[in-house]
Amino acid sequence: MPAFSAPVQNLVDELGRLPGIGPKSAQRIAFHLLKVPSEDALRLAQAIVAVKERVTFCPRCFNVAEGDLCIVCADDRRDPSVVCVVEDPRDVVAVEKTGGFSGRYHVLQGALSPIDGIGPDQLKIGELIARIEPEGISEVILCTNPNLEGEATAAYLARLLQPLGVRVTRIASGLPVGGDLEYADEVTLGRALEGRRVVESAAPAQTRPARADQG
Amino acid sequence: MSHFRDQGVVLRTMRLGEADRIITLVTRNHGKVRAVAKGVRRTSSKFGARLEPFSHVSFMGWQGRGDLDIVSQAEVIDTFRVVREDLDRTSVALSMLEVVDLVSQERHANPPLYVMLVGALGALARQPSPLLAPAFFLKVLALEGSAPVLDACASCGEATPGSLVAFDLLDGGALCTRCRRGRPLSPGALDLLRRVLGGGLAGVLAEPRSSVTDEVASLAIEAIEVHLDRRLRSVRAVPTG
């Protein structure tokens, strides 16, 4: 015997498919939606429709985009010669929040993971290589996650990119600002030591030398 | 429901929820352990890079009622950083981890397997060798009681020197001229296989890459895949060169 009427059951089932939402949470959300004024619920429905209709992936960098190019690619104040390679559109947001990067991005949409059977063909790697020459890219920043998959991806990309004559850099690994040295793990602290830099007496200018080795 | 201390190597990690991961470790005294590391994906996590695959750690776990334990503290014994930072060695190590993950059983201690994995990762960090992973696979087979027969024909028992010329996994080892089936086996490869399983490992690992080592490598991969009854994903998906 079905516990709810068909439309409610349907809503519960659909909500239950969302990540991190189990059957109980789905039920709770469904009944919340039943209770709120219909314009509130419809706003949610319309937001979903709008996202699915209007948002696509940027044909150049595979970031999420509305219309043709994504916001970053469409902005001609951005430096076209530097490309920051990230795994996921959320990483673009994270890098953008630093305000310290003025080039463009390339979103791989994942990372190499041999154990899960994810190889280079499932990522936007060919598309990255194809951008180098026509866009006149002179530096590629490998900004993948500093975990096993991200490091493997960065090492693989470095191997592909170096013969093309572009400068390949890897983001630094180090201690989180506001952290405690005592609790730093050996790998991170080791890398932080390796990547140390000379303390400059003048105010840190934008011309500080970037380390150009690959992780 | 109790705390336990053990040492283990991280085999794989899986995302869980917002910032956690399920860590699979092969441990000395508790076999394979699957445990939740809370908050590891945050940059401010106390675990940091300690619970990445390959890490050899001494850890404290909490075993609850369910099948997932919780990692409460972890200290590094060795991170095998050289392995981690070299793509080729990473892929070799991943294939070994995959095999150990498939062979080990949860909460069923298998100290020799653990010791072998730690030894193999250490060897890989010191000096890569084309036969390291194949030798590891063969040793795992031997540990599982499925080592190939190499002293005499696996079918008829013929043991005259020079008579073993073929290898077939269904028969369980090398075959003589009369019983030949499966793939051909060169004398050089037979010698390497015998040395791997007969205590001459150090010499075998010093062998430079050649057609003979390639033969042994493909044979070892096939043997472990037949034993596990599945293909190794990390052997093929790995991009090299």
Side-chain angles (χ1 to χ4, degrees):
Chain A
M1 194 188 80
F4 314 123
S5 61
V8 179
Q9 184 62 50
N10 200 7
L11 179 60
V12 171
D13 291 347
E14 288 302 323
L15 288 169
R17 280 180 221 233
L18 297 175
I21 296 186
K24 274 284 176 202
S25 310
Q27 235 177 72
R28 190 166 46 85
I29 298 169
F31 278 91
H32 173 76
L33 289 173
L34 278 179
K35 220 164 53 185
V36 296
S38 57
E39 58 264 32
D40 284 359
L42 288 177
R43 216 178 317 122
L44 172 66
Q46 273 151 13
I48 296 174
V49 170
V51 155
K52 292 316 282 182
E53 276 176 358
R54 294 219 301 271
V55 177
T56 52
F57 288 107
C58 172
R60 185 192 278 161
C61 73
F62 302 97
N63 188 8
V64 288
E66 193 181 339
D68 193 23
L69 292 175
C70 71
I71 320 173
V72 180
C73 287
D75 183 351
D76 29 287
R77 283 167 303 175
R78 309 289 296 214
D79 179 0
S81 67
V82 187
V83 162
C84 179
V85 179
V86 295
E87 292 179 17
D88 196 283
R90 282 174 298 179
D91 299 333
V92 171
V93 178
V95 179
E96 278 299 286
K97 274 192 191 156
T98 65
F101 179 67
S102 62
R104 288 180 180 157
Y105 293 91
H106 188 86
V107 182
L108 294 172
Q109 306 214 329
L112 292 181
S113 178
I115 286 193
D116 303 312
I118 297 180
D121 301 340
Q122 277 102 306
L123 306 177
K124 306 287 180 195
I125 288 178
E127 288 84 345
L128 171 64
I129 306 295
R131 285 180 66 182
I132 304 293
E133 169 100 35
E135 290 182 38
I137 291 165
S138 61
E139 179 175 355
V140 175
I141 305 173
L142 301 173
C143 199
T144 52
N145 286 331
N147 55 23
L148 181 77
E149 291 85 8
E151 294 288 350
T153 312
Y156 178 71
L157 284 177
R159 230 183 237 190
L160 285 183
L161 290 167
Q162 271 154 357
L164 302 180
V166 283
R167 189 169 125 103
V168 183
T169 54
R170 174 89 175 110
I171 46 157
S173 282
L175 302 170
V177 175
D180 257 23
L181 213 57
E182 183 191 351
Y183 290 105
D185 68 281
E186 293 74 359
V187 180
T188 309
L189 189 53
R191 287 218 195 158
L193 270 173
E194 268 180 17
R196 69 189 185 275
R197 60 156 84 84
V198 176
V199 179
E200 286 160 75
S201 48
Q206 284 155 331
T207 51
R208 62 188 163 199
R211 283 168 49 88
D213 55 349
Q214 299 80 42
Chain B
M1 302 215 283
S2 61
H3 271 297
F4 63 98
R5 286 192 71 96
D6 207 341
Q7 294 170 0
V9 175
V10 179
L11 297 178
R12 57 181 297 165
T13 63
M14 225 172 78
R15 289 176 181 208
L16 177 73
E18 191 75 4
D20 309 339
R21 274 205 188 106
I22 298 176
I23 312 286
T24 308
L25 303 113
V26 63
T27 63
R28 187 188 288 273
N29 302 319
H30 295 79
K32 185 158 78 174
V33 166
R34 286 174 8 106
V36 177
K38 301 208 170 194
V40 255
R41 280 154 63 201
R42 287 186 225 282
T43 20
S44 56
S45 161
K46 63 181 173 185
F47 294 120
R50 291 187 184 107
L51 295 174
E52 284 287 293
F54 311 145
S55 279
H56 184 201
V57 292
S58 159
F59 69 100
M60 178 113 102
W62 166 257
Q63 186 180 342
R65 260 186 288 246
D67 42 77
L68 284 177
D69 300 345
I70 290 171
V71 187
S72 52
Q73 287 170 32
E75 228 169 25
V76 166
I77 301 172
D78 196 340
T79 57
F80 301 111
R81 211 177 134 189
V82 196
V83 175
R84 215 182 271 223
E85 288 174 2
D86 172 2
L87 191 54
D88 295 331
R89 293 192 216 195
T90 301
S91 62
V92 171
L94 281 175
S95 66
M96 299 197 292
L97 295 191
E98 187 179 359
V99 166
V100 171
D101 190 13
L102 292 171
V103 165
S104 57
Q105 284 166 21
E106 281 189 37
R107 307 204 198 284
H108 188 95
N110 188 350
L113 182 68
Y114 160 80
V115 170
M116 236 163 63
L117 179 63
V118 171
L121 288 172
L124 185 62
R126 281 191 300 278
Q127 179 72 53
S129 152
L131 282 180
L132 185 67
F136 182 78
F137 298 158
L138 290 167
K139 289 275 194 192
V140 168
L141 283 177
L143 191 65
E144 291 273 288
S146 306
V149 179
L150 299 168
D151 300 327
C153 173
S155 170
C156 70
E158 169 76 55
T160 331
S163 66
L164 299 174
V165 293
F167 189 94
D168 190 68
L169 287 163
L170 295 179
D171 284 303
L175 294 168
C176 71
T177 32
R178 265 178 298 131
C179 310
R180 72 162 70 189
R181 235 193 318 264
R183 56 159 78 205
L185 180 69
S186 70
L190 178 62
D191 174 54
L192 282 179
L193 288 172
R194 282 180 174 161
R195 279 159 66 197
V196 167
L197 295 173
L201 190 60
V204 170
L205 293 182
E207 290 283 328
R209 185 169 175 183
S210 66
S211 61
V212 181
T213 63
D214 284 351
E215 185 183 344
V216 172
S218 85
L219 200 146
I221 291 170
E222 200 184 316
I224 193 87
E225 284 182 340
V226 166
H227 176 72
L228 297 169
D229 201 17
R230 59 187 286 175
R231 311 210 99 193
L232 291 179
R233 282 191 282 197
S234 50
V235 171
R236 281 173 191 81
V238 163
T240 39

